[in-house]
Amino acid sequence: MKFQATPNHYTGLIDRYRSRLPLSADTLAISLGEGNTPLIRLSNLVKTTGKNVDIYVKYEGLNPTGSFKDRGMTMAVTKAVEAGSKAIICASTGNTSAAAAAYAARAGIKAFVLIPEGKIAMGKLAQAMMYGAITMQIRGNFDDGMQLVKDVAAKTNVTIVNSINPYRLQGQKTASFEIIEELGRAPDYHALPVGNAGNITAHWIGYTESAIQSGEHTTNACSFCEGSCQFTGEPIIAKDSRPKMLGFQADGSAPFMRGAPVKDPETIATAIRIGNPQSWSQAHEVMKESGGWFGELPDSEILNTQLLLASLEGVFCEPASAASVAGVLRDVKSGKIPEGSTIVCTLTGNGLKDPDTAMELSKDAVRLTIDATLDQVNQSILNHL
Ligand code: F0G
């Protein structure tokens, strides 16, 4: 007899949220059990602000390939396979290529990935290669790769799985569903690191769909008379529980702060080293609708926050991810985010992906080389108690 798992066996976000995704009941899910990631309430790091706020981190680094991209990739690859596609392609700063490669392996199709040579974290390159993608290291940056992918997909029979593929955002919106389920409501603020701005757009879709589903009034019509009055002033929104969305970039790679694409973006947070975001207008729409804002941080502050998250909270994220927390800590300290707020920061990727940056950042950590004797171990303990 075939073994049957119990209904408690978590089988990924497609099975969990199928009715809220553009899928039919019998579409076969290509899944690695993505989603259902921890929402961790920060403790020690919040105390450093001296303010009374609640900060949670949504630890997306615990997805199967170590980043939030898996939420989008399960949808993109599921739909590609359903449509009969035999190959997918993406440009990537590393995480998308890892996720594309893994889900293609799972589906038994080919993945072609374009990455900027020498500018992706080692763990991500190892992933693409282990999962068996055809890896093209380009002498150019992510934006060059993205243009090439669009050009080639226009003529060749390969499915683009960058976030311009609408199914990617559909999968990624489920992170908002999970947060609302766990908190019992949406947070007041939600902060994310921004590159292409696909993820911040996806979260906003998720919050908006949840608000509509719960019967909240979120349109611009007068909520009291359904349009029969002569109301001409500001739109009345009877109740809107959606968060203000905050998008943080590295200052050397901050097109949203400059108000225009940046030609040669540079940052140690290679995941968000993007000068020409694909979801430019959507991200501006998100800010307008939510009342949120973009911000920028120097690499030094991003790295310092990455280290503090690990050393004060036990949460190891990759550099780009720490931008969300760095921005929030700054805006809480300055009072821009008021006391009493509940804030969620997305930690988009796992710290293990970028061991080179982590080793450099923690070089002052205590690391002793001693003889394998009881005496030397004892002495080391006594010296540090
Ligand atoms: N954080 C991490 C760790 C990322 O890998 C990315 C994007 C982002 C944040 C920004 O998300 O683009 O939706 O605004 N990485 C893409 C990649 C570009 O190729 O892996 P976004």
Side-chain angles (χ1 to χ4, degrees):
M1 204 180 82
K2 215 169 142 215
F3 174 75
Q4 284 273 314
T6 73
N8 293 333
H9 178 208
Y10 181 81
T11 52
L13 59 85
I14 286 184
D15 284 343
R16 183 158 172 191
Y17 295 113
R18 189 178 289 264
S19 65
R20 300 169 78 177
L21 292 166
L23 291 163
S24 59
D26 53 5
T27 305
L28 181 74
I30 309 293
S31 170
L32 290 163
E34 57 295 311
N36 199 20
T37 53
L39 186 66
I40 303 166
R41 187 165 179 248
L42 297 187
S43 157
N44 301 323
L45 201 46
V46 178
K47 288 186 196 134
T48 65
T49 67
K51 303 277 184 156
N52 174 26
V53 289
D54 252 338
I55 304 179
Y56 293 83
V57 291
K58 180 75 168 157
Y59 192 18
E60 292 285 273
L62 287 192
N63 274 297
T65 77
S67 86
F68 72 96
K69 306 285 180 179
D70 295 342
R71 289 183 188 274
M73 208 53 76
T74 184
M75 274 299 288
V77 174
T78 290
K79 291 299 267 191
V81 168
E82 188 179 46
S85 178
K86 297 274 179 277
I88 58 175
I89 190 166
C90 66
S92 181
T93 56
N95 281 325
T96 301
S97 57
Y103 284 80
R106 184 85 169 155
I109 61 173
K110 281 204 154 43
F112 297 94
V113 305
L114 277 73
I115 53 171
E117 188 194 20
K119 290 289 186 180
I120 87 166
M122 202 45 79
K124 302 175 188 179
L125 182 57
Q127 286 182 291
M129 292 168 65
M130 282 296 290
Y131 294 133
I134 293 101
T135 303
M136 298 177 229
Q137 307 192 82
I138 59 165
R139 295 183 201 96
N141 61 25
F142 170 86
D143 304 303
D144 301 322
M146 193 65 239
Q147 191 54 53
L148 288 165
V149 163
K150 285 185 192 168
D151 292 347
V152 86
K155 298 206 181 71
T156 315
N157 198 13
V158 287
T159 306
I160 299 185
V161 294
N162 280 103
S163 57
I164 55 172
N165 177 325
Y167 298 118
R168 278 275 313 275
L169 301 196
Q170 286 295 314
Q172 287 168 215
K173 76 182 181 187
T174 60
S176 299
F177 298 167
E178 290 176 14
I179 290 165
I180 291 171
E181 283 165 24
E182 288 176 88
L183 293 180
R185 66 171 180 94
D188 303 311
Y189 294 85
H190 188 137
L192 298 105
V194 167
N196 273 315
N199 208 25
I200 199 165
T201 304
H203 278 76
W204 187 242
I205 294 171
Y207 283 124
T208 301
E209 287 185 4
S210 296
I212 290 169
Q213 198 182 43
S214 70
E216 261 174 39
H217 181 81
T218 55
T219 68
N220 282 354
C222 168
S223 57
F224 302 109
C225 66
E226 295 178 49
S228 60
C229 75
Q230 297 302 305
F231 176 71
T232 53
E234 284 296 302
I236 294 173
I237 294 176
K239 180 173 165 241
D240 189 348
S241 69
R242 294 176 299 175
K244 289 187 174 21
M245 302 299 290
L246 313 181
F248 292 106
Q249 304 207 287
D251 62 5
S253 180
F256 285 108
M257 298 303 290
R258 305 287 99 78
V262 170
K263 201 169 169 325
D264 291 309
E266 213 35 271
T267 169
I268 185 112
T270 50
I272 51 172
R273 187 171 165 270
I274 294 174
N276 187 16
Q278 297 299 304
S279 295
W280 179 262
S281 54
Q282 293 92 323
H284 279 104
E285 206 52 42
V286 169
M287 291 314 178
K288 210 172 90 194
E289 284 186 29
S290 78
W293 58 82
F294 292 111
E296 65 184 316
L297 299 134
D299 280 0
S300 56
E301 211 170 320
I302 292 173
L303 291 177
N304 187 39
T305 307
Q306 185 196 4
L307 184 57
L308 290 177
L309 271 165
S311 59
L312 293 182
E313 301 283 0
V315 180
F316 188 19
C317 66
E318 67 171 285
S321 309
S324 60
V325 177
V328 161
L329 291 175
R330 185 187 61 195
D331 290 348
V332 162
K333 279 183 207 150
S334 75
K336 195 170 179 186
I337 297 176
E339 292 208 64
S341 297
T342 298
I343 307 145
V344 171
C345 300
T346 298
L347 295 183
T348 43
N350 197 302
L352 293 170
K353 287 190 175 250
D354 191 350
D356 297 331
T357 304
M359 286 301 284
E360 174 62 22
L361 198 54
S362 62
K363 64 178 187 302
D364 296 333
V366 179
R367 181 162 59 151
L368 312 169
T369 304
I370 56 168
D371 293 335
T373 64
L374 199 51
D375 184 45
Q376 292 218 359
V377 173
N378 264 331
Q379 199 51 52
S380 304
I381 292 172
L382 287 175
N383 287 347
H384 289 93
L385 268 181

